[in-house]
Amino acid sequence: MAALIELERVSRVYDTGRLKVVALHEVDLTVANGEFVAVVGPSGSGKSTLMHIVGCLDRPSSGTYRLAGTPVQDFTDDDLAGVRSRTIGFVFQSFNLLPRTSALENVAAPLLYQGIGRRERYDRARATLERLGLGDRLDHVPSELSGGQQQRVAIARALVTEPAVILADEPTGNLDSRTTLEVMALFQRLNREGMTLVLVTHEPEVARYAGRLVELRDG
């Protein structure tokens, strides 16, 4: 399969002026289209830094990152914003839903920034929520949903832009064990349907749902 994500000797150094902190040191990683990869490691191992670079939220200090064959270091800030909007779907531990906004509106929101008309935005959001089993929760605000339902809304929001890859950062961290099983089964289903997923977790039992494990230690 063609490589979607390619990191070659990628390092990230944070320079505070008084101290240099090496968060990543010459990391190599390749993720093919259609893969489900879990990045595991203890706190402080560099997982979040890696996720930020892969998600175009940060730039490497050195090394090369190619996304779908294009070197990311050649992108302008506007280019990176476009990649985050259209190519990458994000799922976070804390859901990050708009609290006084319905599930339907939460999922439709990313399409607004792509200049998509209101009717198409809501049609696509509705179809995505129905695909994830939330067709009867369209008008519910987050406080009216369980933790698992909120995370499914967050996954629907990531999917609605039809991204090339979904990056999930500790997506089960706020969920109980039963709901964790449901969310991970959903990720597996999406992967079987062709979605590329990169999951960051410190929980080995969650990582086992992925097709491949990558261990990160001390950057």
Side-chain angles (χ1 to χ4, degrees), residues 24-124:
L24 287 180
H25 179 65
E26 297 191 352
V27 169
D28 293 325
L29 175 66
T30 300
V31 179
N33 277 300
E35 267 202 290
F36 184 0
V37 175
V39 180
V40 298
S43 296
S45 62
K47 299 190 305 298
S48 292
T49 301
L50 178 66
M51 184 67 88
H52 288 163
I53 288 174
V54 172
C56 297
L57 298 166
D58 195 6
R59 296 177 186 263
S61 302
S62 61
T64 302
Y65 171 29
R66 287 186 292 272
L67 182 61
T70 303
V72 171
Q73 59 263 33
D74 294 344
F75 290 177
T76 66
D77 288 345
D78 286 344
D79 291 336
L80 290 176
V83 168
R84 292 193 297 269
S85 172
R86 298 174 186 276
T87 306
I88 301 170
F90 295 93
V91 179
F92 301 100
Q93 175 177 340
S94 56
F95 315 140
N96 289 359
L97 300 176
L98 300 170
R100 288 181 288 278
T101 303
S102 70
L104 184 66
E105 291 168 321
N106 263 288
V107 174
L111 299 175
L112 177 64
Y113 303 106
Q114 295 186 2
I116 294 173
R118 187 177 189 279
R119 182 170 181 175
E120 184 181 347
R121 290 201 309 272
Y122 283 93
D123 284 349
R124 284 173 60 174

Side-chain angles (χ1 to χ4, degrees), residues 79-192:
D79 291 336
L80 290 176
V83 168
R84 292 193 297 269
S85 172
R86 298 174 186 276
T87 306
I88 301 170
F90 295 93
V91 179
F92 301 100
Q93 175 177 340
S94 56
F95 315 140
N96 289 359
L97 300 176
L98 300 170
R100 288 181 288 278
T101 303
S102 70
L104 184 66
E105 291 168 321
N106 263 288
V107 174
L111 299 175
L112 177 64
Y113 303 106
Q114 295 186 2
I116 294 173
R118 187 177 189 279
R119 182 170 181 175
E120 184 181 347
R121 290 201 309 272
Y122 283 93
D123 284 349
R124 284 173 60 174
R126 183 178 294 104
T128 306
L129 284 163
E130 289 173 349
R131 176 183 174 192
L132 300 191
L134 292 169
D136 58 346
R137 295 290 189 270
L138 302 180
D139 297 324
H140 289 61
V141 297
S143 62
E144 297 171 331
L145 301 171
S146 68
Q149 289 170 337
Q150 288 185 62
Q151 191 59 295
R152 275 192 281 163
V153 172
I155 294 168
R157 182 184 56 193
L159 284 171
V160 77
T161 59
E162 300 176 353
V165 59
I166 286 183
L167 305 182
D169 192 355
E170 301 283 2
T172 61
N174 286 337
L175 304 177
D176 60 34
S177 56
R178 177 169 173 250
T179 310
T180 292
L181 293 177
E182 293 173 357
V183 168
M184 294 312 300
L186 173 58
F187 280 138
Q188 285 187 320
R189 190 188 103 200
L190 293 172
N191 180 241
R192 287 194 299 271

